[in-house]
């Protein structure tokens, strides 16, 4: 099916439906497709925090996955 045929089929289906949830979801999908992905821009303090965390990892100032799980369980009194 060509793009033109698909477009016409979609238009016909949209015109036939009275389902507001379906129409809202279709609108949302088109908004996402047209707008494209939104790029999040980090603030200066966020960039600084990331750099600090990277340096801490390089310096070995971090927990293993198992250690982190144990700390979480301790905090949750498990």
């Amino acid at each position: 099916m060509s793009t033109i045929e698909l477009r016409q089929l979609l238009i016909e289906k949209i015109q036939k439906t009275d389902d507001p949830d379906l129409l809202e979801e279709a609108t949302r999908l088109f908004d996402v497709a047209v707008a494209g992905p939104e790029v999040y821009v980090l603030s200066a303090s966020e960039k600084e925090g990331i750099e600090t965390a990277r340096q801490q990892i390089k310096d070995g100032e971090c927990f293993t996955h198992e250690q982190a799980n144990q700390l979480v369980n301790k905090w949750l009194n498990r």
Side-chain angles (χ1 to χ4, degrees):
M1 206 178 277
S2 71
T3 302
I4 293 171
E5 291 170 324
L6 286 170
R7 184 179 293 127
Q8 187 58 42
L9 180 63
L10 185 55
I11 290 169
E12 289 170 11
K13 288 183 179 194
I14 289 170
Q15 289 174 336
K16 289 180 184 177
T17 187
D18 290 325
D19 183 342
D21 293 330
L22 178 60
L23 293 170
E24 284 180 25
E25 184 63 16
T27 301
R28 188 191 66 75
L29 287 171
F30 279 108
D31 288 345
V32 169
V34 171
E38 189 174 311
V39 176
Y40 181 80
V41 178
L42 297 172
S43 69
S45 64
E46 289 170 324
K47 289 178 184 177
E48 183 181 326
I50 290 170
E51 194 53 45
T52 299
R54 285 181 173 162
Q55 188 60 48
Q56 288 173 327
I57 291 168
K58 285 179 185 176
D59 295 341
E61 300 172 7
C62 56
F63 297 108
T64 65
H65 182 73
E66 182 60 34
Q67 289 170 324
N69 282 339
Q70 288 173 354
L71 286 171
V72 168
N73 287 335
K74 183 179 177 182
W75 293 330
L76 295 175
N77 295 319
R78 290 184 181 176

